[in-house]
């Protein structure tokens, strides 16, 4: 599985992998990719566990073999080595606001979708949380998670009446996480934002029109 030169392990249907794929497309760079099939549990092979002991994708492996997991950390590294176009903010204030909004998009949006999906899908029984340990599903969490997603849509709509993009004036990693969250909820739960959310619609049309959204 391992090879020299920077490369990335990912899975085609994985929304966390998609966040990184979009980020890479926005940077206009090309990183060799190794696809894992999560359905046949390739993430649990001994070879992959030696690379990412949490058995999750994506993982970025550097030329020297250093393995970087966690989407924001992978993107942060890519921002450091490919600074243009800026996706984490430019000034100290912008960088901090991007980090704040990225965390909010992930914790209030993306994590809620993940919880609803993983606690409801029959195929994920005993796998309610990703990672090396097995956890039973808690069906009562599904309704609460769906309510969290609806609240996320409401809060995102309000935010997008204040600023053109999630973190302010510029497109950033926070928009990538927000768009991935919206598409993930639509695809996996048939839960879209409401028609009354006009600010989301205005923003979504713009981010969806970027070539990176097809990643
Ligand atoms: N916090 C991790 C989450 C990674 C994660 O949960 N990835 C999912 C795919 S979207 C996974 O690897 N699932 C493997 C499994 O279900 O066993 C990150 O930011 O990379």
């Amino acid at each position: 599985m391992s090879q020299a030169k920077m490369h990335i392990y990912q899975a085609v249907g994985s929304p966390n992998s998609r966040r990184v794929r979009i980020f890479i497309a926005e940077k206009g760079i090309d990183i060799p990719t190794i696809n894992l099939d999560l359905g046949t549990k390739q993430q649990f092979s001994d070879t992959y566990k030696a690379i990412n002991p949490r058995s999750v994708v994506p993982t970025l492996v550097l030329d020297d073999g250093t393995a970087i997991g966690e989407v924001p950390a992978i993107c942060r590294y890519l921002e450091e080595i490919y600074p243009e176009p800026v996706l984490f903010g430019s000034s100290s204030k912008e960088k901090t606001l991007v980090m704040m909004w990225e965390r909010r998009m992930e914790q209030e949006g993306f994590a809620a979708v993940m919880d609803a999906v993983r606690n409801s899908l029959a195929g994920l029984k005993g796998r309610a949380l990703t990672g090396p340990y097995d956890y039973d599903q808690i069906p009562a969490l599904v309704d609460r998670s769906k309510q969290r997603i609806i609240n996320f849509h409401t809060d995102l709509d309000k935010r997008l009446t204040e600023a053109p993009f999630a973190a302010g004036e510029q497109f950033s990693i926070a928009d990538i996480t927000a768009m991935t969250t919206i598409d993930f909820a639509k695809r996996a739960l048939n839960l879209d934002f409401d028609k009354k959310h006009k600010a989301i619609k205005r923003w979504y049309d713009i981010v969806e029109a970027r070539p990176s959204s097809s990643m």
Side-chain angles (χ1 to χ4, degrees):
M1 264 192 192
S2 73
Q3 58 180 65
K5 291 285 173 209
M6 186 162 76
H7 56 284
I8 190 149
Y9 288 90
Q10 65 117 36
V12 174
S14 141
N16 276 303
S17 301
R18 182 173 181 232
R19 289 164 71 190
V20 173
R21 287 197 300 270
I22 295 175
F23 193 90
I24 288 171
E26 286 286 338
K27 287 286 178 191
I29 54 179
D30 191 24
I31 301 178
T33 293
I34 298 170
N35 286 320
L36 294 190
D37 183 348
L38 303 183
T40 58
K41 307 223 174 294
Q42 284 187 327
Q43 71 274 31
F44 296 112
S45 72
D46 289 342
T47 323
Y48 188 64
K49 265 197 265 187
I51 296 163
N52 186 327
R54 296 199 65 243
S55 293
V56 294
V57 287
T59 306
L60 178 70
V61 182
L62 308 187
D63 292 359
D64 71 358
T66 304
I68 301 176
E70 301 301 315
V71 172
I74 292 170
C75 295
R76 177 79 245 177
Y77 181 79
L78 296 176
E79 179 91 351
E80 293 292 329
I81 58 168
Y82 301 106
E84 299 290 337
V86 173
L87 293 171
F88 271 84
S90 297
S91 67
S92 301
K93 187 170 86 174
E94 269 174 32
K95 286 179 185 168
T96 312
L97 288 173
V98 168
M99 183 184 285
M100 178 182 88
W101 284 107
E102 156 62 16
R103 284 179 63 81
R104 286 195 55 182
M105 297 302 118
E106 183 171 80
Q107 291 176 357
E108 296 166 23
F110 194 89
V113 185
M114 200 56 118
D115 263 4
V117 170
R118 297 201 72 99
N119 283 288
S120 61
L121 286 198
L124 291 172
K125 264 197 178 16
R127 293 289 308 153
L129 296 173
T130 55
Y133 306 109
D134 290 337
Y135 292 99
D136 285 339
Q137 291 176 328
I138 303 175
L141 280 180
V142 177
D143 282 348
R144 190 184 78 173
S145 303
K146 287 184 176 170
Q147 186 55 53
R148 287 173 63 205
I149 298 163
I150 292 165
N151 294 341
F152 168 75
H153 288 155
T154 303
D155 292 347
L156 180 62
D157 190 63
K158 179 170 180 300
R159 168 60 183 159
L160 292 168
T161 60
E162 301 162 355
F165 293 103
E169 295 302 313
Q170 308 296 333
F171 179 85
S172 76
I173 184 171
D175 297 291
I176 296 175
T177 301
M179 179 178 64
T180 311
T181 298
I182 285 186
D183 290 347
F184 184 22
K186 215 184 308 179
R187 172 171 65 87
L189 303 166
N190 201 22
L191 186 51
D192 202 355
F193 60 87
D194 198 281
K195 284 193 173 41
K196 71 176 184 243
H197 292 140
K198 298 247 178 349
I200 297 187
K201 173 85 173 104
R202 187 253 322 139
W203 162 88
Y204 187 83
D205 287 348
I206 291 169
V207 291
E208 197 202 17
R210 298 172 83 92
S212 64
S213 79
S214 65
M215 291 291 129

